[in-house]
Amino acid sequence: MNFTQFDLILLAALAVCLLLQLYYTLFVHSRLLRHTSNESAPAIHPLSVIICARNEALNLEKFLPAVLAQDFPEFEVIVVNDRSWDGTADLLERMAASEQRLRIVTVSENDKFRAGKKFAVTMGIKAAKYDWLVFTDADCIPTSDQWLRHMQVPASPQTEIVLGYSPYIRKRGLLNALVRFETFFTAVNYLSFALKGMPYMAVGRNMAYKKSLFFKNKGFAAHMHIPSGDDDLFVNANATSSNTEIRIAADAHVWSEPKTTWLTYLRQKKRHVGAGKFYKKKHQFILTTQIVSQFLFYVLLGAGLCFQDTRYPALSIGLFSVVVRSLVYPRLLSRLNCRGLRWWFPLLDPILFLFLTFNGLIAIFIKKVQWK
């Protein structure tokens, strides 16, 4: 077979993208498969659980009892009612009357400043009695009553940040499958890089850090003007290889209600893209290289399949990628509560990266973001 110069360039570029793809799979993500830390230990740190709620009466009524019912000797649950008008205040007052662990912090409307989730989080942190803070959202529910026991036990006295995992509840449809797969991929990335000594983000649905760390580094002051980033930007600025641990045991997971329309999901991801622009430069480089190489892999693979001379070499590269990645991702999907997606990943993977590219383009032209 005689390859033209164009054919050789196309196949060489495809091979380079494959190598980059396999680097992330075999040398980064596979670390999560080998992670076997002991996350079961006696409760030694009292905890303050912080939940920010804006018009979340229905979710609080549904999910907050599971947080209050945690099997943990000493903890408080602080719910920050952030300018709600849907009955959240009345619900919290009723629940607090019969639950001593529940404390309420109220953020009122004020024309003098523009409040947002970071302000609400800060108010909750200021009100906390204990140094170790655990964060989740109003639309989340712990997998078990052992959640807090897992999130409070650092293996090292140097630990100041604990990264948890929060999958989305399974429902029908392509959107739900994509939401769950994207959440899985994001979690595999930030958890694996944390194991590699490069923690760069967390999700506010399930994470913990010290109150003293928050105030020592002036909280959200460096990015208070950015609507999003109360979780990932804080961790990106303050996490190190020595002060960060992860928790992925099944009992440490927190389930979350997924977005149910494409529009609300796009809005959510646009906020995340906006925060990513303020990551440390080395993290931006690593993540950009990953996404671009993955996207180009599928573009070049499609191009290679369109030409007769490159069709079979391109097909061989594509099949090799699927086979190698099948050794890692189905097992990770099972471990991270996404068992139903484990054999769909060859299809969902290209869909996800096309979506991420589309979402990135939208973020360039649409700048305005808000919490709720």
Side-chain angles (χ1 to χ4, degrees), residues 172-320:
R172 293 181 178 180
L174 175 61
L175 175 60
N176 181 258
L178 183 63
V179 168
R180 290 162 56 220
F181 185 76
E182 186 270 333
T183 301
F184 157 80
F185 180 84
T186 300
V188 167
N189 230 33
Y190 74 74
L191 293 170
S192 299
F193 271 107
L195 290 176
K196 192 175 172 61
M198 297 180 61
Y200 69 88
M201 69 160 285
V203 292
R205 303 189 302 275
N206 191 12
M207 62 181 290
Y209 56 75
K210 286 187 173 182
K211 181 176 181 178
S212 54
L213 175 70
F214 181 84
F215 286 112
K216 179 176 67 176
N217 294 294
K218 299 181 180 181
F220 305 129
H223 47 85
M224 196 71 179
H225 60 290
I226 306 168
S228 58
D230 58 282
D231 45 10
D232 57 343
L233 286 182
F234 179 81
V235 170
N236 191 263
N238 297 289
T240 68
S241 60
S242 61
N243 78 346
T244 305
E245 297 182 21
I246 73 168
R247 294 290 178 269
I248 60 171
D251 284 345
H253 297 179
V254 172
W255 290 95
S256 184
E257 283 283 351
K259 301 300 182 184
T260 56
T261 68
W262 288 97
L263 181 59
T264 54
Y265 182 53
L266 279 169
R267 287 174 177 169
Q268 180 189 55
K269 299 317 298 178
K270 183 160 63 67
R271 291 198 302 271
H272 296 167
V273 170
K277 298 175 183 177
F278 297 91
Y279 285 5
K280 293 176 182 176
K281 295 301 181 182
K282 63 179 180 180
H283 298 146
Q284 290 188 43
F285 175 78
I286 290 170
L287 297 175
T288 301
T289 300
Q290 181 182 27
I291 293 175
V292 171
S293 65
Q294 191 84 340
F295 174 74
L296 288 177
F297 176 81
Y298 289 117
V299 171
L300 294 171
L301 178 62
L305 294 174
C306 291
F307 298 100
Q308 184 175 357
D309 289 344
T310 58
R311 183 170 300 153
Y312 291 109
L315 181 61
S316 298
I317 291 174
L319 290 176
F320 179 74

Side-chain angles (χ1 to χ4, degrees), residues 134-137 140 147 151 162-167 190 202-208 247 252-255:
V134 180
F135 297 86
T136 189
D137 287 342
C140 295
W147 168 54
M151 293 301 292
V162 176
L163 312 182
Y165 171 60
S166 179
Y190 74 74
V203 292
R205 303 189 302 275
N206 191 12
M207 62 181 290
R247 294 290 178 269
H253 297 179
V254 172
W255 290 95

